[in-house]
Amino acid sequence: MTGPFESYNARFVDPQTVAETFILRDQQFGSLCEQSNSLLIGPRGSGKTTLLKMLKVGAQVAWKNRKQANVLRKFRFSPIYVGADRQLDVVAGNQKLKTNKVSVGLLSKALLAFRVKFACLDTAQEISNERIRDLENVSHQFMDLDGREAELCASLSAIWDLGERAISFLEVRLRLHWQLGEINRFLERMKHGTEIRPDDLLTHAQYFSHDPIRSCEGFVSLCNNLIGQPDKIWALCIDELEIMPEEMQNYLFSCLRSIDHKILLKLATSPFSKIDWRSLGPDRPMAGNDYTAINLGFTTKQDSRRNDARRFSARLLEAIIASEGRLNRKDKRPLGASVLGRSPITEANTSADQKDAYKYPNGIHYRRFAQLVSKDVAFAQFIRDRNIQIDKLDAGNENQRAGKARKYIWQVACRLEYGPTNQFVRPDLTIGDRPPSRKALADIYLGFDSLLTMCEGNPRITISLMRPLVRRYFGTAKTVPFEDQSKLVEDAVAKFVSLLSTIQVVDPNNQIQNMSVIDLMEPVGTFFAQEVNGPVFKAEPLLTFKVDGLVPAEYVDAIGAAMNQGAFVMLSDESGLFDHGSIKDARLRFSYLLCPLYHLPLTIGGQVNLSRVLSVRRPRTSRRALTQSDLFNRQDLHE
């Protein structure tokens, strides 16, 4: 199935194009350029592939400005980029191959070894190209073979068991493709029910036993000896670890602690894995000692890096505006706020008139508070209990306003749109609350400020949401109406939910239940919606959950898989790092892109154990497929 944010996927883009569209994340890319092992951690679309591809020399030659050139000079290693191999995912998940589990494991390792061999050849050809020698910023990457390509290829023929002596990169590739065809032939036989033992494979050919790390080490040793640089450093960059078989993930992760000193290992993976790396014992690789963990999630416990995420998305938006408008450097560029309009809710301190927003009688925050006081009995009582004078909210400094008003702005806005603000008398004369009539998507989620917050610094989401809006702007030269923005966001969320609905809950016996992760998200979303828009106004509604020990393992796996797709965000400690693998005892929140679905504020809120939520609102098994109308016109959020 095509994902909802496939308008830009660095996996399918050549390195030079990646470089031309790359927005530098200084801190993360700087860490990746360090001469140390690295583990890139981030959900789908967070930029892992782009960062790894930017290490390639083919991408470096496209970097033109001074800042980029300075970055290039920071690292001296030669990168070997190994892209994702979906065949590994298909092989690992094929039920017909389960009877040949050991043999399949052997072939999976050999398949990755082939990917590494092809990547080594790519790098050798790239950095031995003479034009590299003449480019100032990357000339240090040049490997002078000086007519010794045949010598290198002949040696590779021996250590990679090619069977015949190759004397050119092309011949090496042809022999590798032939061997790869042999592996695929055995896999096809297994798919049709043939039982093949590991001994059968090893007897057939020695290359069936090849190891990806050892294959790279052989290549590096040959190259270094050939060019007379025995200590030259290379970086083996392997993308999308999470789609590989668990044994392969475990093996590569363990290599972060024990690998040839001439090779740096840089791995990219999603945050959740069924492998609990902490359970591997004291000999497992340790962050800070054996590798540098680089978190692309823009999150900490207090979400204090949210402004970093907004700034990154804003820079991406500026680049999209320049590209779609075909603007030159000297051209005047429209601002993002001009394209999308300001949101009804703007972040604190993002504009000079923030204080005026609290002023009586026309400040936008004041008017919002006053409107809710007049309509919402629960909020009016809360204001009285806290002795908050809404006509004096502008008094004092921003920190003083934070305690009295600022932290309630999103809650107030949500309750105005979705809360119990209309009272009615039942036949038995008791008072009831009715949510107001509403549009499919409230304006509070639209405009420059809110859309940037919902993008959360995720490049793929930012590009897929912003590019069509920018195109619409240049088509009319007018700010994109909220109605058009609403349709695009609704469509994006609907596609996202459709993608998530394919993640099934699988019990410990590997049986697929009649339940998808959406059936787990629904009770959590409705629980949080009640916290924000229920009959009681709460100073700090519960909006995050802890994956506590009472949550069934199959639920944890499904939620982790959804987190890898970006549905949930892990809130880590202040360092911005977290243990890769398990999400046991982790604190999660909904992606801000999904908050409109459950009528939630784009804020953090308090924490609750997930087991408590699921005991209050038990998950239901899958019903008919949700439609876009279902997603944005549901009444059960307040039942």
Side-chain angles (χ1 to χ4, degrees):
M1 173 181 177
T2 302
F5 310 119
E6 296 297 339
S7 58
Y8 179 85
N9 190 327
R11 184 195 308 153
F12 309 116
V13 182
D14 64 273
Q16 183 168 342
T17 302
V18 169
E20 290 169 352
T21 58
F22 183 55
I23 302 298
L24 183 64
R25 290 174 62 159
D26 301 87
Q27 181 179 347
Q28 290 78 15
F29 192 69
S31 297
L32 189 62
C33 290
E34 291 177 359
Q35 199 143 304
S36 61
N37 295 330
S38 305
L39 184 66
L40 271 175
I41 306 167
R44 184 173 183 168
S46 59
K48 303 186 295 293
T49 297
T50 298
L51 283 173
L52 282 185
K53 277 194 171 183
M54 281 312 305
L55 293 177
K56 285 175 64 68
V57 175
Q60 295 175 29
V61 297
W63 286 28
K64 304 298 184 184
N65 65 51
R66 181 177 299 176
K67 182 177 181 181
Q68 292 172 335
N70 290 336
V71 171
L72 296 181
R73 296 191 187 101
K74 288 182 179 179
F75 68 92
R76 314 292 294 187
F77 55 78
S78 295
I80 301 170
Y81 173 76
V82 182
D85 188 349
R86 286 291 166 185
Q87 188 176 15
L88 288 174
D89 189 26
V90 172
V91 168
N94 193 316
Q95 296 298 317
K96 295 180 180 179
L97 300 177
K98 296 301 182 183
T99 56
N100 288 286
K101 183 177 180 181
V102 177
S103 295
V104 169
L106 187 64
L107 292 182
S108 295
K109 205 168 192 178
L111 283 171
L112 183 58
F114 273 95
R115 296 289 294 182
V116 169
K117 293 171 189 176
F118 281 118
C120 288
L121 292 177
D122 290 340
T123 299
Q125 289 184 270
E126 200 170 50
I127 65 177
S128 63
N129 188 319
E130 291 192 355
R131 75 187 186 100
I132 298 296
R133 179 171 49 191
D134 301 325
L135 297 176
E136 178 184 358
N137 296 329
V138 294
S139 59
H140 61 281
Q141 292 282 11
F142 177 65
M143 180 176 71
D144 189 2
L145 290 181
D146 191 24
R148 288 172 290 181
E149 178 183 333
E151 184 180 348
L152 174 61
C153 292
S155 298
L156 289 175
S157 300
I159 66 171
W160 286 350
D161 295 309
L162 297 185
E164 297 179 5
R165 186 175 184 270
I167 59 173
S168 70
F169 288 131
L170 177 59
E171 288 185 35
V172 173
R173 287 182 185 278
L174 290 175
R175 291 300 303 169
L176 289 175
H177 278 295
W178 185 89
Q179 292 179 345
L180 191 57
E182 284 290 281
I183 289 182
N184 288 328
R185 186 165 65 88
F186 276 97
L187 286 172
E188 286 300 316
R189 289 175 60 190
M190 292 180 188
K191 289 178 184 178
H192 288 86
T194 303
E195 184 176 348
I196 298 177
R197 298 174 302 166
D199 284 348
D200 298 330
L201 298 174
L202 297 176
T203 301
H204 180 80
Q206 189 170 333
Y207 59 81
F208 280 82
S209 65
H210 282 193
D211 170 283
I213 301 298
R214 303 295 170 254
S215 296
C216 183
E217 288 176 347
F219 166 82
V220 166
S221 179
L222 284 177
C223 285
N224 286 6
N225 288 333
L226 190 64
I227 64 177
Q229 299 180 33
D231 296 321
K232 177 177 172 61
I233 303 298
W234 304 70
L236 182 58
C237 309
I238 301 180
D239 202 4
E240 293 198 90
L241 200 69
E242 70 276 2
I243 71 171
M244 299 180 187
E246 291 183 12
E247 295 82 1
M248 191 70 66
Q249 294 184 47
N250 199 338
Y251 168 70
L252 291 173
F253 183 75
S254 65
C255 288
L256 288 168
R257 186 165 187 179
S258 56
I259 195 170
D260 190 309
H261 72 279
K262 296 186 291 296
I263 300 177
L264 305 175
L265 194 56
K266 296 185 180 291
L267 307 176
T269 188
S270 295
F272 171 75
S273 169
K274 292 183 180 180
I275 303 172
D276 186 351
W277 304 114
R278 292 174 294 185
S279 68
L280 298 180
D283 292 332
R284 73 184 180 94
M286 302 294 292
N289 294 321
D290 302 301
Y291 66 92
T292 300
I294 304 173
N295 177 12
L296 301 183
F298 281 118
T299 57
T300 62
K301 185 185 295 183
Q302 284 78 32
D303 225 20
S304 58
R305 292 181 65 202
R306 186 168 75 171
N307 285 336
D308 291 339
R310 282 171 46 82
R311 280 190 287 270
F312 179 72
S313 291
R315 289 172 62 196
L316 268 180
L317 175 57
E318 290 172 6
I320 294 170
I321 290 172
S323 174
E324 294 298 329
R326 296 177 175 82
L327 304 177
N328 297 317
R329 286 187 178 182
K330 296 181 180 180
D331 292 338
K332 184 176 181 181
R333 305 184 183 188
L335 299 175
S338 302
V339 174
L340 302 173
R342 296 311 295 251
S343 302
I345 299 179
T346 55
E347 296 291 327
N349 301 324
T350 56
S351 62
D353 61 350
Q354 276 292 299
K355 183 175 180 180
D356 292 340
Y358 296 93
K359 277 187 178 181
Y360 167 87
N362 295 318
I364 187 170
H365 295 332
Y366 164 78
R367 287 190 281 114
R368 195 179 288 120
F369 271 62
Q371 185 180 2
L372 191 61
V373 165
S374 68
K375 291 185 174 183
D376 189 334
V377 174
F379 182 65
Q381 184 63 50
F382 175 84
I383 291 295
R384 287 194 295 271
D385 292 343
R386 295 295 177 97
N387 194 29
I388 297 175
Q389 297 175 288
I390 63 172
D391 59 343
K392 297 181 180 179
L393 293 178
D394 62 313
N397 57 39
E398 187 63 29
N399 288 333
Q400 291 171 324
R401 284 192 291 274
K404 293 182 179 180
R406 194 178 75 201
K407 65 181 181 181
Y408 307 130
I409 288 174
W410 262 104
Q411 292 163 248
V412 168
C414 284
R415 287 180 75 86
L416 278 173
E417 294 287 348
Y418 305 116
T421 57
N422 291 339
Q423 292 189 338
F424 65 97
V425 180
R426 298 190 180 95
D428 62 1
L429 301 183
T430 59
I431 302 297
D433 297 316
R434 180 192 303 118
S437 60
R438 55 186 182 270
K439 296 178 291 184
L441 192 73
D443 288 351
I444 57 175
Y445 298 114
L446 306 173
F448 175 77
D449 308 272
S450 292
L451 287 181
L452 283 188
T453 298
M454 287 160 60
C455 288
E456 301 203 65
N458 184 298
R460 195 174 303 172
I461 294 176
T462 304
I463 293 171
S464 67
L465 281 180
M466 297 301 182
R467 181 178 282 159
L469 291 173
V470 171
R471 287 175 177 172
R472 197 159 306 183
Y473 169 82
F474 281 114
T476 63
K478 295 181 180 179
T479 300
V480 181
F482 275 12
E483 180 182 0
D484 292 347
Q485 296 182 34
S486 175
K487 291 177 181 176
L488 181 67
V489 174
E490 288 177 27
D491 184 57
V493 173
K495 289 180 179 178
F496 196 9
V497 171
S498 179
L499 171 68
L500 295 172
S501 67
T502 65
I503 299 175
Q504 297 296 311
V505 176
V506 181
D507 68 24
N509 296 320
N510 207 34
Q511 297 296 313
I512 297 178
Q513 302 181 7
N514 188 28
M515 179 186 296
S516 78
V517 74
I518 298 297
D519 299 302
L520 294 177
M521 292 168 55
E522 285 291 300
V524 178
T526 53
F527 181 94
F528 289 162
Q530 193 71 1
E531 285 284 305
V532 176
N533 302 310
V536 178
F537 184 89
K538 299 184 178 182
E540 187 178 19
L542 302 174
L543 295 173
T544 64
F545 62 87
K546 177 183 177 182
V547 185
D548 60 288
L550 297 179
V551 180
E554 59 267 32
Y555 288 6
V556 175
D557 289 345
I559 289 171
M563 185 177 75
N564 286 348
Q565 294 292 342
F568 298 106
V569 175
M570 180 185 287
L571 304 178
S572 58
D573 59 19
E574 279 89 353
S575 69
L577 305 179
F578 47 81
D579 281 328
H580 165 65
S582 173
I583 58 171
K584 181 181 178 182
D585 296 325
R587 182 186 181 192
L588 308 181
R589 64 165 171 81
F590 275 110
S591 158
Y592 286 141
L593 185 63
L594 292 176
C595 283
L597 187 60
Y598 300 107
H599 309 158
L600 304 178
L602 306 183
T603 55
I604 293 294
Q607 175 181 300
V608 62
N609 282 345
L610 180 57
S611 61
R612 177 191 160 194
V613 175
L614 298 180
S615 67
V616 174
R617 293 181 175 270
R618 299 187 65 83
R620 295 179 291 178
T621 55
S622 292
R623 61 196 75 74
R624 65 180 175 82
L626 292 173
T627 66
Q628 191 159 321
S629 178
D630 293 328
L631 294 177
F632 294 100
N633 290 284
R634 296 173 305 166
Q635 300 294 324
D636 64 333
L637 293 177
H638 309 284
E639 292 177 357

